[in-house]
Amino acid sequence: HVQLVESGGGSVQAGGSLRLSCAASGRTYGKWCMGWFRQVPGKEREGVAAITNRGTSTFYTESVKGRFTISRDNVKNTLYLQLNSLKSEDSAMYFCAARPGGICGYSLNFSNWGQGTQVTVS
C-alpha cells in the first residue's frame, strides 16, 4: 500500500508552466507504475501520463505530448509532472496514482490515489 500527496498546483496564465509533485509513502514505491490523471467537474477522469517503476518508459496522452513531462525520483519517493505551454483546456484537478506490477500505462486500472491538486489556466 502507498499513500500519495500531490502539491504544486495553482493559477497560471496561458503559455505558463507549473511543476506538480506527488510525495509517496511506503518502501515499495520503486516497484509501482505511477500515473497522472486529471478531471474537470462533470467530465470523466482522463489519463495524462504514466511512468514505469524505474522510470525507463513514459507514456503520454496525445493532447499533452511535447508539453508535459513525467518523471520520478525513487530515492525521494516523489513523482513529478512538468507542465509547459499550458492552455485553458489543461485546467483541471490533477491526481497522481499508483499501480503495482510491471505493466504500466495511463489507460490501466490504478489502485492508489492522491487527493488532487488544482491547476487553473486563464
Side-chain angles (χ1 to χ4, degrees), residues 7 17 33 36 44-45 62 71 83 94 110 113 116 118:
S7 62
S17 298
C33 162
W36 284 100
E44 289 189 1
R45 185 170 56 204
E62 193 64 35
S71 61
L83 294 71
Y94 283 73
F110 282 68
W113 293 84
Q118 178 69 39

Side-chain angles (χ1 to χ4, degrees), residues 10-18 38 40 46 61-68 83-92 94 118-122:
S11 296
V12 63
Q13 291 187 337
S17 298
L18 284 172
R38 63 187 180 186
V40 175
E46 174 189 24
T61 193
E62 193 64 35
S63 62
V64 308
K65 284 181 180 178
R67 300 190 298 121
F68 291 9
L83 294 71
N84 295 331
S85 302
L86 282 162
K87 306 176 181 179
S88 57
E89 52 263 43
D90 295 319
S91 295
Y94 283 73
Q118 178 69 39
V119 172
T120 303
V121 184
S122 59

Side-chain angles (χ1 to χ4, degrees), residues 92-109:
M93 184 72 78
Y94 283 73
F95 301 87
C96 67
R99 66 172 267 125
I103 299 176
C104 192
Y106 56 80
S107 61
L108 301 174
N109 291 326

Side-chain angles (χ1 to χ4, degrees), residues 14-37:
S17 298
L18 284 172
R19 189 193 196 198
L20 307 184
S21 298
C22 172
S25 65
R27 293 177 293 178
T28 59
Y29 172 75
K31 297 181 180 179
W32 296 66
C33 162
M34 299 297 296
W36 284 100
F37 298 78

